[in-house]
Amino acid sequence: MPVPFCKFSPKAVGSVFPGVITTTQSFDREKQREYTLSVTATDQAQEPLIGVCQVTVLIADVNDNDPKFENSRYQFAEPLDFETTKFFTLIVRAQNVAMTPLASFTTVCVNVTDVNDNVPFFVSSNYEVSVPEGADVGTSVVQVLATDLDSGLHGEVHYLILKDASEDYQFFTIEPETGIISTRASFDREKRASYLIEVQSQDSSESARPGVHGQPNTDTAYVRIFVSDVNDNAPAFPRSVYEVSVDEDREVGSPVVTATAEDEDEGANAKLRYQITSGNARGVFDVEPDVGTVFIAQPLDYEQEQHYELRLVASDGKWENHTLIIINVVNKNDEAPVFTQNEYQGSVLEELTDLPVLVLKAVHDVY
């Protein structure tokens, strides 16, 4: 059978008739790499003899094809981070190593899939806030916040208050979705001034972090709640009555007694002012308004007044209380004796010349 892509041309060389096989078309090694030919040689005798041989033609490769991309899997030299880069566009070049190399290019688009590898960290590990004493149950105290860099359920954060031995957690509640902490009781600062709770943030899917199996990622923070003072306590004197004695010759400005009231509030709510509201005839006494010390403002005179009953009031600006200050003036020998009249007249008989003459003079000393 003739071969369509080659021809045989016998040529005589002496008694040898070599056959030359030549191509009749071009070949593509990538389609067929070899061909097998059956060559028959016949002599010219009346009864010719025939010789047959098989010829295998191998097609030699030449660099006539660009590289083709067949692999759809690629390896990355470094770990991927969805939170840093969510999408890659790669231009890949393939080139052979022939004398005259050929190259091909392809574009690889890589979408990075998020996994739950980030912790919902609180923006602060410690919160300090205050709530007024006596505030209604349900009063909002503070909103805690945690951020998670993951997406979807991986980054959806919920909050809860952890239980501890102090049991402070029972006085507060937290909204799981918003992190708003509210009161579950009304507080009295004079009984307790602060509370400490621990809150936890957690995301909403199983963690992809090493060592965390079947649990979400979590973080914790502490919240210190101070109970701020409200002016809800009146000042109180330790005694309802103070009684003292003072010499009438004490100098003006001398302290007589200090009556100090106590206020269970703090700060400005516990700052007291003192004043005498009654019993201070002629303004003989006054009081240091900041400390409650009663002092002599005018000279004392036992002969004019021996007894005082002062009403001393302490006020914090909203509430007030009072006590009674009894002051007894002690008489001192500060008055010289005086005659009851400037001139006295009397008579005596002349016959009594041998007897002493007596004149009665009346005197008066108020001491």
Side-chain angles (χ1 to χ4, degrees), residues 47 74 77 88 94 98 106-107 115 125 152 154 165 181 201 217 231 244 247 253 256 263 278 291 310 334:
E47 295 181 2
Y74 300 89
F88 292 89
T106 190
T107 300
V115 297
S125 59
H154 302 328
I181 297 174
S201 63
N217 296 313
N231 193 359
V244 295
D247 294 338
V256 176
D263 194 317
S278 65
V291 295
L310 308 179
D334 59 348

Side-chain angles (χ1 to χ4, degrees), residues 35-114:
Y35 296 86
T36 301
L37 309 178
S38 179
V39 180
T40 301
T42 305
D43 58 20
Q44 302 296 319
Q46 288 185 350
E47 295 181 2
L49 297 175
I50 299 174
V52 179
C53 71
Q54 297 289 327
V55 178
T56 299
V57 181
L58 300 177
I59 307 301
D61 187 34
V62 295
N63 189 18
D64 61 345
N65 286 284
D66 296 335
K68 302 295 182 183
F69 288 91
E70 297 178 355
N71 186 8
S72 61
R73 298 180 63 87
Y74 300 89
Q75 293 182 340
F76 294 92
E78 295 183 2
L80 300 178
D81 187 356
F82 175 84
E83 287 71 39
T84 302
T85 307
K86 299 177 175 60
F87 182 82
F88 292 89
T89 300
L90 309 177
I91 306 298
V92 182
R93 174 181 176 176
Q95 178 177 304
N96 58 27
V97 292
M99 291 291 293
T100 304
L102 298 177
S104 290
F105 297 86
T106 190
T107 300
V108 179
C109 297
V110 181
N111 291 310
V112 182
T113 303
D114 189 27

Side-chain angles (χ1 to χ4, degrees), residues 122-305:
F122 280 101
V123 296
S124 175
S125 59
N126 290 280
Y127 293 81
E128 289 190 355
V129 296
S130 63
V131 60
E133 63 174 327
D136 294 337
V137 173
T139 298
S140 296
V141 176
V142 66
Q143 182 177 20
V144 296
L145 178 64
T147 57
D148 194 317
L149 297 177
D150 293 320
S151 61
L153 288 177
H154 302 328
E156 187 175 301
V157 181
H158 293 83
Y159 304 90
L160 67 152
I161 298 176
L162 299 178
K163 296 182 179 181
D164 59 12
S166 71
E167 297 187 347
D168 285 359
Y169 64 89
Q170 64 184 322
F171 300 109
F172 302 92
T173 183
I174 190 170
E175 293 184 11
E177 291 78 18
T178 64
I180 296 176
I181 297 174
S182 303
T183 62
R184 297 180 63 185
S186 184
F187 303 104
D188 185 351
R189 189 202 64 84
E190 286 71 41
K191 292 182 178 179
R192 187 171 178 185
S194 69
Y195 298 82
L196 179 65
I197 60 175
E198 185 178 13
V199 294
Q200 183 184 82
S201 63
Q202 63 179 38
D203 50 33
S204 303
S205 62
E206 184 176 336
S207 175
R209 296 171 66 86
V212 183
H213 302 291
Q215 299 294 325
N217 296 313
T218 63
D219 189 28
T220 58
Y222 287 95
V223 181
R224 171 74 68 178
I225 300 102
F226 294 97
V227 181
S228 60
D229 187 46
V230 173
N231 193 359
D232 58 350
N233 289 280
F237 287 96
R239 296 162 58 182
S240 60
V241 177
Y242 294 79
E243 185 170 2
V244 295
S245 296
V246 58
D247 294 338
E248 64 171 332
D249 60 356
R250 287 279 294 275
E251 294 182 356
V252 172
S254 298
V256 176
V257 63
T258 297
T260 303
E262 298 292 334
D263 194 317
E264 293 185 353
D265 295 318
E266 66 176 1
N269 295 330
K271 185 174 179 59
L272 302 180
R273 300 284 291 181
Y274 299 87
Q275 62 177 334
I276 299 172
T277 60
S278 65
N280 191 17
R282 298 185 305 279
V284 174
F285 299 97
D286 203 349
V287 63
E288 293 286 349
D290 294 328
V291 295
T293 298
V294 177
F295 62 91
I296 300 171
Q298 300 290 337
L300 298 175
D301 190 347
Y302 175 86
E303 287 70 34
Q304 292 184 357
E305 192 76 41

Side-chain angles (χ1 to χ4, degrees), residues 248 301 303 331-338 364-367:
E248 64 171 332
D301 190 347
E303 287 70 34
N331 188 28
K332 302 297 289 184
N333 188 12
D334 59 348
E335 298 288 344
V338 294
H364 175 69
D365 190 337
V366 296
Y367 179 73

Side-chain angles (χ1 to χ4, degrees), residues 9 15 23 25 29 58 64 104 112 216 233 292 303 315 345 350:
S9 301
S15 61
T23 62
Q25 67 180 51
R29 191 192 69 87
L58 300 177
D64 61 345
S104 290
V112 182
N233 289 280
E303 287 70 34
S315 173
Q345 293 182 358
E350 62 180 344

Side-chain angles (χ1 to χ4, degrees), residues 5-18:
F5 44 77
C6 64
K7 65 180 181 178
F8 180 72
S9 301
K11 294 183 179 180
V13 181
S15 61
V16 179
F17 295 87

